[in-house]
Amino acid sequence: MSKKIPVSKMRNIGIIAHIDAGKTTVTERILYYTGRSHKLGEVHDGEAVMDWMTDEQERGITITSAVTTCHWDGHEIHIIDTPGHVDFTIEVERSLRVLDGAIGVFCAVGGVQPQSETVWRQADKYHVPKMAFVNKMDRIGADFFGTVQELKDILGVKPLLLQIPIGAEDAFEGVIDLLNMEQITWDETSLGASFQRSPLEGDRAEEAETYREQLVEDVAEFDDELMELYLEEGEVSKDRLIQGIRKATIESGAVPVLCGSALRNVGVQPLLDAITAFLPSPKEVPPARGVHPESKEEIICGNSEKDPLAALIFKVSMPEGRKLCFARIYSGKLIAGQDVFNPTLGRKEKPARILSIHANKRERIEQAGAGNIVGIVGMKDSSTGDTLCTMDKPVMLERIETYEPVISIAVEPKTHSDQEKLPAVLDKLMAEDPTFKVREDEETGQTIISGMGELHLEILVSRMQREFNTQVNVGKPQVVYRETVGKEAVGTGLFDREVAGHNHFAQVDIRLEPRSRGTGNTFAVAPGFNAIPEHLIPHIEQGVMEAFGSGVVMGYPVLDVAATLAGGVFREGSGTDLAFRVAASMAVNDALLAADSALLEPILDLEITAPEANTGDVIGDLNSRGGKIEALESATGVGIIKAVAPLSKMFGYSTDLRSATQGRGTFSMKFSHYDKI
């Protein structure tokens, strides 16, 4: 058992980026240089430690966020390597929710790409301090300063350049360290494990001096004391500058920028130094806030082991079919075999084993305290977003937002044995992934699975077959539609029935009106209406919202409608909760039939990058799919097309784009909104 690391020496960080910017390669290098792994795993060979799932190794992409722990310079670093593909946004979202710092990896050629912008904004949402690593400096077209400019223009950040590159593309040799005013070069024969620091001379020394001054001025904007020191003495010591950078990064959103080429093993050790020097420990981030499960009064969870337990389950995994919960401990400590309370479910759970995680390898530990990210085995019912606390000091932490799926396919088991296994397999996959939904089509009896995109569902089906040995036939992808109303209408619901020997009566009039796209459903009582007692209004609202779950066109959920309780009749003695709930539901269905109900389809935001010579063909193809071009931009030799298009016309788009651009076009798409067909 390794000696205990104080919380101030812990770092919980995530690696975030666009697909193919080199996140996993950076993580692999970190593990190698910290001694956590003894071999460099390459993504393109399918041997990366963090991409341990078969689908990840075959496709060369990260699908599930993998957790690992390593040590550097007396610090313990917990790292989560997150996916870059838009279909797995939930994996990034739930990781960022529990992290204290993030490293954005940017491709020096591609700059700030669409998905890197999305994940950066997700990190902003949780106020996560960030650093940037400009990777692939050895690639043709690498442009360090161009990428830094995009960080300013697209992400609106204040970059603090800690390094500048020596050369670029084939001539990339190493980096100039502006804190120590030295040049660092790596020895390729040692796989980058050894590197040399040497003094700067001539033009390099002059260039470094200019950027060093700029760095001091940029940091001084966030630190008045340092500004005074600089103005008085004209120089700031390295230690005082480091202190200023740390303060600006943690408190003010400034972003330290480093560079290198992870694939060529250049630049990773200074990145590790920067993680420990500038990103916060769990003690330096604001304490987690939760509410009391009953009184809803706000509770601030301390950042130490002496405080009551508060931990959040941010992910559930099912290795070998057994449930493994990943949890971030915010305060207190978790002890193996000791009961904890889950206030979401209102019941006790017993963590049988607590594990320190390294990708898909696990090491047993007896207990873990505030600041740790651990795996827990033995939790029967707890799932993603649930809080673990103590019975006598209950607290509920904010749940993790999930996303509604936009695409569905039908699956059917191939054999009788597959049919027996399928429900349990689907339950396990749903427990792992909150964006994956399963339902049975009442008319056809088919099992319908829904997810965030074609790739998402393709991988889930592949996992059913590989991990759970359950073979299925797959139908064509179907779009998950919604419904809405086109005009105002009033519907009446009358419920008058004897149930279990008691008469239930209610009459309700509901007025429905269309609302603008994306504004959701509302319920209100007409001004001055008081014919129905106050205590029954919540039951009417419940009936209305239940009716919105299934529209009258094709049974899809109803969106963007304002419902108003406009009239009704109450009879003393028989006006029950049940009667008003059912009558409200009937009134909504009646109104939907008269309100020009129509289908809404999901519309996607697209960003396509293609060689300039092919942009005409790409635009022509988008127009034929009912897409609308919103902006055209150009970068070196490529055109960037921003557009919106209906999901129903975008199936198989990656193949068509590849053939239109000789395999050189790339695109990202994400759900934007619902609109009328």
Side-chain angles (χ1 to χ4, degrees), residues 19 24 40 82 107 123 172 408 431 454 484 542 549 592 617 624 651:
I19 189 166
T24 302
L40 281 178
T82 65
C107 170
F172 177 60
S408 297
E454 282 184 277
T484 195
Q542 190 186 349
L592 286 172
D617 295 341
S624 72
F651 294 133

Side-chain angles (χ1 to χ4, degrees), residues 12-17 65 80-83 88-104 115-130 285 312 314-315 328 330 373 400 403:
N12 291 318
I13 63 159
I15 312 261
I16 59 173
S65 44
I80 300 185
D81 173 28
T82 65
F88 308 105
T89 302
I90 184 67
E91 288 287 338
V92 186
E93 183 90 26
R94 55 189 180 181
S95 301
L96 287 170
R97 170 76 171 76
V98 299
L99 291 169
D100 304 325
I103 297 162
Q115 187 62 10
S116 46
E117 187 180 349
T118 305
V119 294
W120 195 269
R121 304 267 180 246
Q122 284 174 299
D124 282 343
K125 180 165 91 179
Y126 293 116
H127 310 294
V128 176
K130 295 175 284 294
V285 291
L312 181 78
F314 66 93
K315 178 177 161 75
R328 160 73 194 260
Y330 286 100
I373 291 177
I400 293 169
Y403 299 84

